[in-house]
């Protein structure tokens, strides 16, 4: 048996954009509370198609080993932190 367990926390949203926004927000808040939270692994799915997952964060590997913290569909260069320009309202 694995030494690690994964928490699956169903939360509903009216559409993919809002689901990603909520998931990003929740992941960032939880990551501040615990180093065990892996925001780059966050995905969302339609309730009736949970096997079809949509990534929330870009999570590309950056020089030095850090990961991109921007949304998956960002147009700016990858970054370790979120800038005010990358935040969108949904």
């Amino acid at each position: 048996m694995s030494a690690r367990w994964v928490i699956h926390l169903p939360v509903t949203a009216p559409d993919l954009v809002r689901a990603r926004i909520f998931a990003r927000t929740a992941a960032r808040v939880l990551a501040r509370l615990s180093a065990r939270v892996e925001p780059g692994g966050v995905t969302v799915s339609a309730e009736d198609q949970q096997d079809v997952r949509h990534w929330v964060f870009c999570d590309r590997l950056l020089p030095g080993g850090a990961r991109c913290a921007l949304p998956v569909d960002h147009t700016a260069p990858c970054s370790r932190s979120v800038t005010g320009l990358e935040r969108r309202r949904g």
Side-chain angles (χ1 to χ4, degrees):
M1 187 181 313
S2 175
R4 290 179 13 145
W5 290 81
V6 177
I7 297 170
H8 303 276
L9 178 65
V11 178
T12 62
D15 55 48
L16 178 58
V17 171
R18 290 186 193 139
R20 282 180 167 163
I21 291 169
F22 188 85
R24 279 195 300 271
T25 303
R28 287 182 180 133
V29 168
L30 291 171
R32 290 183 180 199
L33 298 175
S34 173
R36 294 188 179 274
V37 175
E38 299 175 23
V42 175
T43 59
V44 297
S45 66
E47 186 174 21
D48 59 348
Q49 290 185 313
Q50 293 185 25
D51 57 327
V52 179
R53 296 182 177 222
H54 302 271
W55 291 102
V56 172
F57 291 98
C58 171
D59 201 39
R60 284 190 189 110
L61 187 60
L62 299 173
R67 297 261 180 198
C68 179
L70 299 179
V72 71
D73 55 357
H74 69 87
T75 56
C78 288
S79 174
R80 294 174 190 209
S81 63
V82 179
T83 65
L85 296 175
E86 285 297 326
R87 294 187 183 153
R88 287 191 284 167
R89 297 181 74 127

Coordinates of all heavy atoms in Angstrom, one line a residue:
M1 N 0.8 -1.2 0.0 CA 0.0 0.0 0.0 C 0.9 1.3 0.0 O 2.0 1.3 0.6 CB -0.9 0.0 1.2 CG -1.9 1.2 1.1 SD -3.1 1.4 2.5 CE -3.7 -0.2 2.8
S2 N 0.4 2.3 -0.6 CA 1.1 3.6 -0.7 C 1.3 4.2 0.6 O 0.4 4.1 1.5 CB 0.4 4.5 -1.7 OG 1.0 5.8 -1.7
A3 N 2.4 5.0 0.8 CA 2.6 5.8 2.0 C 1.9 7.1 1.9 O 1.9 7.9 2.8 CB 4.1 6.0 2.2
R4 N 1.4 7.5 0.7 CA 0.7 8.7 0.5 C -0.7 8.5 0.1 O -1.1 7.6 -0.6 CB 1.4 9.5 -0.6 CG 2.7 10.0 -0.3 CD 3.5 10.8 -1.3 NE 2.8 11.2 -2.5 CZ 3.0 12.4 -3.1 NH1 3.9 13.2 -2.7 NH2 2.3 12.7 -4.2
W5 N -1.6 9.4 0.5 CA -3.0 9.4 0.1 C -3.3 10.7 -0.6 O -2.8 11.7 -0.3 CB -3.9 9.2 1.4 CG -3.7 7.8 2.0 CD1 -2.7 7.4 2.8 CD2 -4.6 6.7 1.8 NE1 -2.9 6.1 3.1 CE2 -4.1 5.7 2.5 CE3 -5.8 6.6 1.1 CZ2 -4.7 4.4 2.6 CZ3 -6.4 5.3 1.1 CH2 -5.8 4.3 1.8
V6 N -4.2 10.7 -1.5 CA -4.7 11.9 -2.3 C -6.1 12.2 -1.9 O -6.9 11.3 -1.8 CB -4.6 11.6 -3.8 CG1 -5.1 12.8 -4.6 CG2 -3.1 11.3 -4.2
I7 N -6.3 13.5 -1.6 CA -7.7 14.0 -1.3 C -8.4 14.4 -2.5 O -7.9 15.2 -3.3 CB -7.6 15.1 -0.3 CG1 -6.9 14.7 1.0 CG2 -9.0 15.7 0.0 CD1 -6.6 15.8 2.0
H8 N -9.6 13.9 -2.8 CA -10.4 14.3 -3.9 C -11.6 15.1 -3.2 O -12.4 14.5 -2.5 CB -11.0 13.1 -4.6 CG -9.9 12.2 -5.2 ND1 -9.2 12.5 -6.3 CD2 -9.3 11.1 -4.6 CE1 -8.3 11.6 -6.5 NE2 -8.3 10.8 -5.5
L9 N -11.7 16.3 -3.5 CA -12.7 17.2 -2.9 C -13.6 17.8 -4.0 O -13.3 18.7 -4.6 CB -12.0 18.3 -2.2 CG -12.9 19.4 -1.5 CD1 -13.7 18.7 -0.4 CD2 -12.0 20.5 -1.0
P10 N -14.8 17.2 -4.2 CA -15.7 17.7 -5.2 C -16.3 19.0 -4.8 O -16.8 19.2 -3.7 CB -16.8 16.6 -5.3 CG -16.2 15.4 -4.6 CD -15.3 15.9 -3.6
V11 N -16.2 20.0 -5.7 CA -16.7 21.3 -5.6 C -17.3 21.6 -6.9 O -16.7 21.4 -8.0 CB -15.6 22.3 -5.2 CG1 -16.2 23.7 -5.2 CG2 -14.9 22.0 -3.9
T12 N -18.5 22.1 -7.0 CA -19.2 22.4 -8.3 C -19.0 23.9 -8.7 O -18.8 24.8 -7.9 CB -20.7 22.1 -8.2 OG1 -21.3 22.9 -7.2 CG2 -20.9 20.6 -7.9
A13 N -19.0 24.1 -10.0 CA -18.9 25.4 -10.6 C -19.8 25.4 -11.9 O -20.0 24.3 -12.4 CB -17.5 25.8 -10.9
P14 N -20.3 26.5 -12.3 CA -21.2 26.5 -13.5 C -20.6 26.3 -14.8 O -21.2 25.9 -15.8 CB -21.9 27.9 -13.4 CG -20.9 28.8 -12.6 CD -20.2 27.8 -11.7
D15 N -19.2 26.5 -14.9 CA -18.6 26.3 -16.2 C -17.1 26.0 -16.0 O -16.6 26.2 -14.9 CB -18.8 27.4 -17.2 CG -18.4 28.8 -16.6 OD1 -17.3 28.9 -16.0 OD2 -19.2 29.7 -16.7
L16 N -16.4 25.7 -17.1 CA -14.9 25.3 -17.0 C -14.1 26.5 -16.5 O -13.2 26.4 -15.7 CB -14.4 24.8 -18.3 CG -12.9 24.5 -18.4 CD1 -12.6 23.4 -17.4 CD2 -12.6 24.0 -19.8
V17 N -14.4 27.7 -17.0 CA -13.6 28.9 -16.6 C -13.7 29.1 -15.1 O -12.7 29.3 -14.4 CB -14.1 30.1 -17.4 CG1 -13.4 31.4 -16.8 CG2 -13.7 30.0 -18.9
R18 N -14.9 29.1 -14.6 CA -15.1 29.4 -13.2 C -14.5 28.2 -12.3 O -14.0 28.4 -11.2 CB -16.6 29.6 -12.9 CG -17.0 31.0 -13.4 CD -18.4 31.3 -13.0 NE -18.8 32.5 -13.8 CZ -20.0 32.6 -14.4 NH1 -20.9 31.7 -14.2 NH2 -20.3 33.7 -15.1
A19 N -14.6 27.0 -12.8 CA -14.1 25.9 -12.1 C -12.5 26.0 -12.0 O -12.0 25.8 -10.9 CB -14.4 24.5 -12.8
R20 N -11.9 26.4 -13.1 CA -10.4 26.7 -13.0 C -10.1 27.8 -12.1 O -9.1 27.7 -11.3 CB -9.9 26.9 -14.4 CG -9.8 25.7 -15.3 CD -9.2 26.0 -16.6 NE -8.8 24.8 -17.3 CZ -8.6 24.8 -18.6 NH1 -8.8 25.8 -19.4 NH2 -8.2 23.7 -19.2
I21 N -10.8 28.9 -12.1 CA -10.6 30.0 -11.2 C -10.7 29.6 -9.8 O -9.8 29.8 -8.9 CB -11.5 31.2 -11.5 CG1 -11.2 31.8 -12.9 CG2 -11.4 32.2 -10.4 CD1 -12.2 32.8 -13.4
F22 N -11.8 28.9 -9.4 CA -12.0 28.4 -8.1 C -10.9 27.4 -7.7 O -10.3 27.5 -6.6 CB -13.4 27.7 -7.9 CG -13.7 27.4 -6.5 CD1 -14.3 28.4 -5.7 CD2 -13.4 26.2 -6.0 CE1 -14.5 28.1 -4.3 CE2 -13.7 25.8 -4.7 CZ -14.3 26.8 -3.8
A23 N -10.5 26.5 -8.6 CA -9.5 25.5 -8.2 C -8.1 26.2 -8.0 O -7.4 25.8 -7.1 CB -9.4 24.5 -9.4
R24 N -7.8 27.2 -8.8 CA -6.5 27.9 -8.6 C -6.5 28.6 -7.3 O -5.5 28.5 -6.6 CB -6.3 29.0 -9.8 CG -5.8 28.4 -11.0 CD -5.3 29.5 -11.9 NE -6.3 30.5 -12.3 CZ -7.1 30.4 -13.4 NH1 -7.0 29.3 -14.2 NH2 -7.9 31.3 -13.7
T25 N -7.6 29.3 -7.0 CA -7.7 30.0 -5.7 C -7.6 29.0 -4.5 O -6.8 29.3 -3.6 CB -9.0 30.8 -5.6 OG1 -9.1 31.7 -6.7 CG2 -9.1 31.6 -4.3
A26 N -8.3 27.9 -4.6 CA -8.3 27.0 -3.5 C -6.9 26.4 -3.3 O -6.4 26.2 -2.2 CB -9.3 25.9 -3.7
A27 N -6.3 26.0 -4.5 CA -4.9 25.4 -4.4 C -3.9 26.4 -3.8 O -3.1 26.0 -3.0 CB -4.5 25.0 -5.8
R28 N -4.0 27.6 -4.2 CA -3.0 28.6 -3.7 C -3.2 28.8 -2.2 O -2.2 28.9 -1.4 CB -3.1 29.9 -4.4 CG -2.6 29.8 -5.8 CD -2.7 31.1 -6.6 NE -2.1 31.0 -7.9 CZ -2.7 31.4 -9.0 NH1 -3.8 32.0 -9.0 NH2 -2.1 31.2 -10.2
V29 N -4.5 28.9 -1.7 CA -4.7 29.1 -0.3 C -4.2 27.8 0.5 O -3.5 28.0 1.5 CB -6.2 29.3 0.0 CG1 -6.5 29.2 1.4 CG2 -6.6 30.7 -0.6
L30 N -4.5 26.7 0.0 CA -4.1 25.4 0.7 C -2.6 25.3 0.6 O -2.0 24.8 1.6 CB -4.8 24.2 0.1 CG -6.3 24.1 0.3 CD1 -6.9 23.0 -0.5 CD2 -6.6 24.0 1.8
A31 N -1.9 25.7 -0.4 CA -0.5 25.6 -0.5 C 0.2 26.5 0.5 O 1.3 26.2 1.0 CB 0.0 25.9 -1.9
R32 N -0.4 27.6 0.9 CA 0.1 28.4 1.9 C 0.0 27.8 3.3 O 0.8 28.1 4.2 CB -0.5 29.8 1.9 CG -0.2 30.6 0.7 CD -0.8 32.0 0.8 NE -0.4 32.7 -0.4 CZ -0.5 34.0 -0.5 NH1 -1.0 34.7 0.5 NH2 -0.1 34.6 -1.6
L33 N -0.9 26.9 3.4 CA -1.2 26.2 4.7 C -0.3 25.0 4.9 O 0.0 24.6 6.0 CB -2.6 25.9 4.9 CG -3.6 27.0 4.9 CD1 -5.1 26.5 4.9 CD2 -3.4 27.9 6.1
S34 N 0.0 24.3 3.8 CA 0.8 23.1 3.9 C 1.7 22.9 2.6 O 1.2 23.0 1.5 CB -0.2 21.9 3.9 OG 0.5 20.7 3.9
A35 N 2.9 22.5 2.9 CA 3.8 22.2 1.8 C 3.5 20.9 1.1 O 4.0 20.6 0.0 CB 5.3 22.1 2.3
R36 N 2.5 20.1 1.6 CA 2.1 18.9 1.0 C 1.1 19.1 -0.2 O 0.8 18.2 -0.9 CB 1.5 18.0 2.0 CG 2.5 17.5 3.0 CD 1.9 16.4 3.9 NE 2.8 16.0 4.9 CZ 3.7 15.0 4.7 NH1 3.7 14.4 3.5 NH2 4.5 14.6 5.7
V37 N 0.6 20.3 -0.4 CA -0.3 20.6 -1.5 C 0.5 20.8 -2.7 O 1.5 21.5 -2.7 CB -1.1 21.9 -1.1 CG1 -2.0 22.3 -2.3 CG2 -2.0 21.6 0.1
E38 N 0.1 20.1 -3.8 CA 0.8 20.2 -5.1 C -0.1 20.9 -6.1 O -0.8 20.2 -6.9 CB 1.2 18.8 -5.6 CG 2.1 18.1 -4.6 CD 2.4 16.6 -5.1 OE1 2.2 16.3 -6.3 OE2 2.7 15.8 -4.2
P39 N -0.1 22.3 -6.2 CA -1.0 23.0 -7.0 C -0.9 22.6 -8.5 O -1.9 22.6 -9.2 CB -0.6 24.4 -6.9 CG 0.0 24.5 -5.5 CD 0.7 23.2 -5.4
G40 N 0.3 22.3 -9.0 CA 0.5 21.9 -10.4 C -0.3 20.7 -10.8 O -0.5 20.5 -12.0
G41 N -0.7 19.9 -9.9 CA -1.4 18.7 -10.2 C -2.9 18.8 -10.2 O -3.7 17.9 -10.4
V42 N -3.4 20.1 -10.0 CA -4.8 20.3 -9.9 C -5.5 20.2 -11.3 O -5.0 20.8 -12.2 CB -5.1 21.7 -9.2 CG1 -6.6 22.0 -9.2 CG2 -4.6 21.7 -7.8
T43 N -6.6 19.4 -11.3 CA -7.4 19.4 -12.6 C -8.9 19.5 -12.2 O -9.2 19.4 -11.0 CB -7.2 18.0 -13.2 OG1 -7.6 16.9 -12.3 CG2 -5.8 17.7 -13.7
V44 N -9.7 19.8 -13.2 CA -11.1 19.9 -13.0 C -11.8 19.1 -14.1 O -11.1 18.8 -15.2 CB -11.7 21.4 -13.1 CG1 -11.1 22.2 -12.0 CG2 -11.3 22.0 -14.4
S45 N -13.0 18.6 -13.9 CA -13.7 17.8 -14.9 C -15.2 18.1 -14.8 O -15.7 18.6 -13.8 CB -13.4 16.3 -14.6 OG -14.0 15.9 -13.4
A46 N -15.9 17.8 -15.8 CA -17.4 17.8 -15.8 C -17.8 16.7 -14.9 O -17.2 15.6 -14.8 CB -17.9 17.6 -17.2
E47 N -18.9 17.0 -14.2 CA -19.4 16.0 -13.2 C -19.7 14.6 -13.8 O -19.4 13.6 -13.2 CB -20.6 16.6 -12.5 CG -21.1 15.7 -11.4 CD -22.3 16.3 -10.6 OE1 -23.0 17.2 -11.2 OE2 -22.5 16.0 -9.5
D48 N -20.2 14.7 -15.0 CA -20.6 13.4 -15.6 C -19.5 12.8 -16.5 O -19.7 11.8 -17.2 CB -21.9 13.5 -16.4 CG -21.9 14.6 -17.5 OD1 -20.9 15.4 -17.5 OD2 -22.8 14.6 -18.3
Q49 N -18.3 13.5 -16.6 CA -17.2 13.0 -17.3 C -15.9 13.2 -16.5 O -15.0 13.8 -16.9 CB -17.0 13.8 -18.7 CG -18.1 13.5 -19.7 CD -17.8 14.2 -21.0 OE1 -17.5 15.4 -21.0 NE2 -17.9 13.5 -22.0
Q50 N -15.9 12.6 -15.4 CA -14.7 12.8 -14.5 C -13.4 12.2 -14.9 O -12.4 12.5 -14.4 CB -15.1 12.3 -13.1 CG -16.2 13.2 -12.5 CD -16.5 12.8 -11.0 OE1 -15.7 12.3 -10.3 NE2 -17.7 13.2 -10.6
D51 N -13.5 11.3 -16.0 CA -12.3 10.8 -16.6 C -11.7 11.7 -17.6 O -10.6 11.5 -18.0 CB -12.6 9.4 -17.2 CG -13.7 9.5 -18.3 OD1 -14.6 10.4 -18.1 OD2 -13.7 8.8 -19.3
V52 N -12.4 12.8 -17.9 CA -11.8 13.8 -18.8 C -11.4 15.0 -18.0 O -12.3 15.8 -17.6 CB -12.9 14.2 -19.9 CG1 -12.3 15.3 -20.8 CG2 -13.3 13.0 -20.7
R53 N -10.2 15.2 -17.7 CA -9.7 16.2 -16.8 C -9.0 17.4 -17.6 O -8.4 17.2 -18.6 CB -8.7 15.6 -15.8 CG -9.4 14.6 -14.9 CD -8.5 14.0 -13.9 NE -9.3 13.1 -13.0 CZ -9.2 13.1 -11.7 NH1 -8.3 13.9 -11.1 NH2 -9.9 12.2 -11.0
H54 N -9.2 18.6 -17.0 CA -8.6 19.8 -17.6 C -7.6 20.4 -16.6 O -8.0 20.6 -15.4 CB -9.7 20.8 -17.9 CG -10.8 20.3 -18.8 ND1 -10.7 20.4 -20.2 CD2 -11.9 19.7 -18.6 CE1 -11.8 19.9 -20.7 NE2 -12.5 19.4 -19.8
W55 N -6.4 20.6 -17.0 CA -5.4 21.1 -16.1 C -5.8 22.6 -15.7 O -6.4 23.3 -16.5 CB -4.0 21.2 -16.8 CG -3.5 19.8 -17.0 CD1 -3.5 19.1 -18.2 CD2 -3.0 18.9 -16.0 NE1 -3.0 17.8 -18.0 CE2 -2.6 17.7 -16.6 CE3 -2.7 19.1 -14.7 CZ2 -2.0 16.7 -15.9 CZ3 -2.1 18.0 -14.0 CH2 -1.8 16.8 -14.6
V56 N -5.4 23.0 -14.5 CA -5.6 24.3 -14.0 C -4.4 25.2 -14.1 O -4.5 26.3 -14.5 CB -6.1 24.2 -12.5 CG1 -6.3 25.5 -11.9 CG2 -7.4 23.4 -12.5
F57 N -3.3 24.6 -13.8 CA -2.0 25.4 -13.8 C -1.1 25.0 -15.0 O -1.2 23.8 -15.4 CB -1.2 25.2 -12.5 CG -1.8 25.9 -11.3 CD1 -2.6 25.2 -10.5 CD2 -1.7 27.2 -11.1 CE1 -3.2 25.7 -9.4 CE2 -2.3 27.8 -10.0 CZ -3.0 27.1 -9.1
C58 N -0.3 25.9 -15.5 CA 0.6 25.5 -16.6 C 1.6 24.5 -16.1 O 1.8 23.4 -16.7 CB 1.4 26.8 -17.0 SG 2.8 26.5 -18.1
D59 N 2.3 24.7 -15.0 CA 3.2 23.8 -14.3 C 4.4 23.4 -15.2 O 5.1 22.4 -14.9 CB 2.5 22.5 -13.8 CG 3.2 21.8 -12.7 OD1 3.8 22.5 -11.9 OD2 3.2 20.6 -12.7
R60 N 4.8 24.2 -16.2 CA 6.0 23.9 -16.9 C 7.2 24.0 -16.1 O 7.3 24.9 -15.2 CB 6.1 24.8 -18.1 CG 5.2 24.5 -19.3 CD 5.6 25.4 -20.5 NE 4.6 25.2 -21.5 CZ 3.7 26.1 -21.8 NH1 3.7 27.3 -21.3 NH2 2.8 25.9 -22.8
L61 N 8.2 23.2 -16.3 CA 9.5 23.3 -15.5 C 10.3 24.5 -16.0 O 10.5 24.7 -17.2 CB 10.3 22.0 -15.7 CG 11.5 21.9 -14.9 CD1 11.2 21.9 -13.4 CD2 12.2 20.6 -15.2
L62 N 10.7 25.4 -15.1 CA 11.4 26.6 -15.4 C 12.9 26.3 -15.0 O 13.2 25.4 -14.3 CB 10.9 27.7 -14.5 CG 9.5 28.1 -14.8 CD1 9.0 29.2 -13.8 CD2 9.3 28.6 -16.2
P63 N 13.8 27.2 -15.6 CA 15.2 27.0 -15.2 C 15.4 27.1 -13.7 O 14.8 27.9 -13.0 CB 15.9 28.2 -15.9 CG 15.0 28.6 -17.0 CD 13.6 28.2 -16.5
G64 N 16.2 26.2 -13.1 CA 16.4 26.2 -11.7 C 15.5 25.2 -11.0 O 15.6 25.1 -9.8
G65 N 14.6 24.6 -11.7 CA 13.8 23.6 -11.1 C 12.4 24.0 -10.6 O 11.6 23.2 -10.2
A66 N 12.1 25.3 -10.6 CA 10.8 25.8 -10.2 C 9.8 25.5 -11.3 O 10.1 25.1 -12.4 CB 10.8 27.3 -9.9
R67 N 8.5 25.6 -10.9 CA 7.4 25.3 -11.9 C 6.6 26.6 -12.1 O 6.5 27.5 -11.3 CB 6.4 24.3 -11.3 CG 7.1 22.9 -11.1 CD 6.7 22.1 -12.2 NE 7.3 20.7 -12.1 CZ 7.5 19.9 -13.1 NH1 7.1 20.3 -14.3 NH2 8.0 18.8 -13.0
C68 N 6.1 26.7 -13.3 CA 5.2 27.9 -13.7 C 4.0 27.9 -12.8 O 3.3 26.9 -12.7 CB 4.9 27.9 -15.2 SG 3.8 29.3 -15.7
A69 N 3.7 29.0 -12.2 CA 2.5 29.2 -11.4 C 1.3 29.8 -12.0 O 0.3 30.1 -11.4 CB 2.9 30.0 -10.1
L70 N 1.4 30.0 -13.3 CA 0.3 30.7 -14.1 C -0.7 29.7 -14.5 O -0.5 28.5 -14.6 CB 0.9 31.5 -15.3 CG 1.9 32.6 -14.9 CD1 2.4 33.2 -16.2 CD2 1.3 33.6 -14.0
P71 N -1.9 30.2 -14.9 CA -3.0 29.4 -15.4 C -2.5 28.6 -16.7 O -1.6 29.1 -17.4 CB -4.1 30.3 -15.7 CG -3.8 31.5 -14.9 CD -2.4 31.6 -14.8
V72 N -3.1 27.5 -16.9 CA -2.8 26.6 -18.0 C -2.8 27.4 -19.4 O -2.1 27.1 -20.3 CB -3.6 25.3 -18.1 CG1 -5.0 25.6 -18.4 CG2 -3.0 24.3 -19.0
D73 N -3.7 28.3 -19.5 CA -4.0 29.0 -20.8 C -3.3 30.4 -20.9 O -3.7 31.2 -21.7 CB -5.5 29.1 -21.1 CG -6.2 29.7 -20.0 OD1 -5.6 30.1 -18.9 OD2 -7.4 29.9 -20.1
H74 N -2.3 30.6 -20.1 CA -1.7 32.0 -20.0 C -1.0 32.3 -21.4 O -0.6 31.4 -22.1 CB -0.7 32.1 -18.9 CG 0.5 31.3 -18.9 ND1 1.7 31.8 -19.6 CD2 0.8 30.1 -18.5 CE1 2.6 30.9 -19.5 NE2 2.1 29.8 -18.8
T75 N -0.9 33.6 -21.7 CA -0.2 34.0 -22.9 C 1.1 34.7 -22.6 O 1.9 34.9 -23.5 CB -1.1 35.0 -23.7 OG1 -1.5 36.1 -22.9 CG2 -2.4 34.3 -24.2
A76 N 1.3 35.1 -21.4 CA 2.6 35.8 -21.0 C 3.6 34.7 -20.8 O 3.3 33.5 -20.7 CB 2.4 36.5 -19.7
P77 N 4.9 35.1 -20.7 CA 6.0 34.1 -20.5 C 5.7 33.4 -19.1 O 5.2 34.0 -18.2 CB 7.2 34.9 -20.4 CG 6.9 36.2 -21.2 CD 5.5 36.4 -21.0
C78 N 6.2 32.2 -19.0 CA 6.0 31.4 -17.8 C 6.7 32.2 -16.6 O 7.7 32.9 -16.8 CB 6.6 30.0 -17.9 SG 5.6 28.9 -18.9
S79 N 6.1 32.0 -15.4 CA 6.6 32.7 -14.2 C 6.4 31.9 -13.0 O 5.5 31.0 -12.9 CB 5.8 34.0 -14.1 OG 6.2 34.7 -12.9
R80 N 7.3 32.1 -12.0 CA 7.2 31.4 -10.7 C 6.0 32.0 -9.9 O 5.6 31.3 -8.9 CB 8.5 31.5 -9.9 CG 9.6 30.9 -10.6 CD 10.9 31.2 -9.8 NE 12.0 30.7 -10.6 CZ 13.1 30.3 -10.2 NH1 13.3 30.3 -8.9 NH2 14.1 29.8 -11.0
S81 N 5.6 33.2 -10.2 CA 4.5 33.8 -9.4 C 3.5 34.4 -10.3 O 3.8 34.7 -11.4 CB 5.1 34.8 -8.4 OG 5.7 35.9 -9.1
V82 N 2.3 34.7 -9.7 CA 1.2 35.3 -10.4 C 1.4 36.8 -10.4 O 1.6 37.4 -9.4 CB -0.1 34.9 -9.8 CG1 -1.3 35.5 -10.6 CG2 -0.2 33.4 -9.8
T83 N 1.3 37.4 -11.6 CA 1.3 38.9 -11.6 C -0.1 39.4 -11.7 O -1.0 38.7 -12.1 CB 2.1 39.4 -12.8 OG1 1.4 39.0 -14.0 CG2 3.5 38.9 -12.8
G84 N -0.3 40.7 -11.4 CA -1.7 41.2 -11.5 C -2.2 41.1 -12.9 O -3.4 41.1 -13.1
L85 N -1.4 41.1 -13.9 CA -1.8 41.1 -15.3 C -2.4 39.7 -15.7 O -3.2 39.6 -16.6 CB -0.7 41.3 -16.3 CG 0.0 42.7 -16.2 CD1 1.2 42.8 -17.1 CD2 -1.1 43.8 -16.5
E86 N -2.0 38.7 -15.0 CA -2.5 37.3 -15.3 C -3.8 37.0 -14.7 O -4.5 36.0 -15.0 CB -1.5 36.3 -14.9 CG -0.3 36.2 -15.8 CD -0.7 35.8 -17.2 OE1 -1.6 35.0 -17.4 OE2 0.0 36.3 -18.2
R87 N -4.3 37.8 -13.7 CA -5.5 37.5 -13.0 C -6.7 37.9 -13.9 O -6.7 38.9 -14.4 CB -5.6 38.2 -11.7 CG -4.5 37.6 -10.7 CD -4.7 38.2 -9.4 NE -3.6 37.7 -8.6 CZ -3.1 38.3 -7.5 NH1 -3.6 39.5 -7.1 NH2 -2.1 37.8 -6.8
R88 N -7.7 37.0 -14.0 CA -8.8 37.2 -14.8 C -10.1 37.1 -14.0 O -10.1 36.4 -13.0 CB -8.9 36.2 -16.0 CG -7.9 36.5 -17.0 CD -8.3 35.6 -18.2 NE -7.9 34.3 -17.9 CZ -8.3 33.2 -18.6 NH1 -9.0 33.4 -19.6 NH2 -7.9 32.0 -18.3
R89 N -11.1 37.8 -14.4 CA -12.4 37.7 -13.7 C -13.2 36.7 -14.5 O -13.2 36.7 -15.7 CB -13.0 39.0 -13.6 CG -12.2 40.0 -12.7 CD -12.9 41.3 -12.6 NE -14.1 41.0 -11.7 CZ -14.3 41.8 -10.7 NH1 -13.5 42.8 -10.4 NH2 -15.4 41.5 -9.9
G90 N -14.0 35.9 -13.8 CA -14.8 35.0 -14.6 C -16.2 34.9 -14.2 O -16.9 35.0 -13.3

